[in-house]
Amino acid sequence: MKFAEENDNSSYTITAYDSDYIAINGKNFHQSLVLSPQKFIPDWTPQSYSLLEDSHLNEFYELNAEIILLGTGEKQIFPNKEILRRLAKEQIGFEIMDTHAACRTFNILMAEGRNVVAGLFLK
């Protein structure tokens, strides 16, 4: 009996990552980005986690996220109270973690069929 790997090229997945890039479907990106299984925003403003504001999360809500992941760079850094309040108000699950952990978690949740949206920062 032969087995064939099923490849669904209609969705976005994280195929590799390091401290200076995140590879989406095999292509390297060197800036912050927003990613869901169905949508990819390769040039997300802000480019640094320290510049993140509440209004930058609008893309997450427009994608009807079931869970939001914020990858904060090399270290886990919690956002300001305004952002945390809005995340709680929207009643959407969210996790704040370093970017490498967020990349791994994104792929796991996506494989489970969850509507996950990740905002990933390299710095």
Side-chain angles (χ1 to χ4, degrees):
M1 180 181 294
K2 289 187 177 183
F3 290 96
E5 181 179 353
E6 183 178 332
N7 287 324
D8 181 4
N9 293 327
S10 64
S11 63
Y12 295 103
T13 187
I14 298 169
T15 52
Y17 53 86
D18 203 348
S19 61
D20 64 340
Y21 75 92
I22 299 169
I24 308 300
N25 293 0
K27 183 176 178 189
N28 292 354
F29 294 88
H30 300 275
Q31 69 276 349
S32 64
L33 53 92
V34 173
L35 181 66
S36 80
Q38 296 80 32
K39 181 141 179 155
F40 176 43
I41 303 169
D43 244 346
W44 182 41
T45 304
Q47 285 300 302
S48 170
Y49 183 72
S50 64
L51 301 173
L52 181 66
E53 296 178 6
D54 178 52
S55 62
H56 294 127
L57 301 179
N58 290 337
E59 281 107 305
F60 294 77
Y61 306 124
E62 292 168 6
L63 293 171
N64 299 314
E66 179 183 345
I67 186 164
I68 293 171
L69 303 176
L70 280 178
T72 62
E74 291 183 14
K75 297 185 292 184
Q76 178 187 38
I77 306 167
F78 288 96
N80 65 44
K81 291 178 184 178
E82 180 182 314
I83 292 172
L84 289 173
R85 255 192 302 274
R86 174 129 185 240
L87 287 167
K89 179 184 167 201
E90 297 290 336
Q91 297 184 334
I92 297 170
F94 65 92
E95 293 288 336
I96 314 298
M97 57 190 73
D98 69 73
T99 297
H100 289 180
C103 289
R104 292 186 300 271
T105 303
F106 176 86
N107 282 345
I108 291 167
L109 292 172
M110 189 188 82
E112 292 175 352
R114 308 279 300 273
N115 187 19
V116 59
V117 178
L120 304 172
F121 292 93
L122 294 172
K123 53 184 175 176

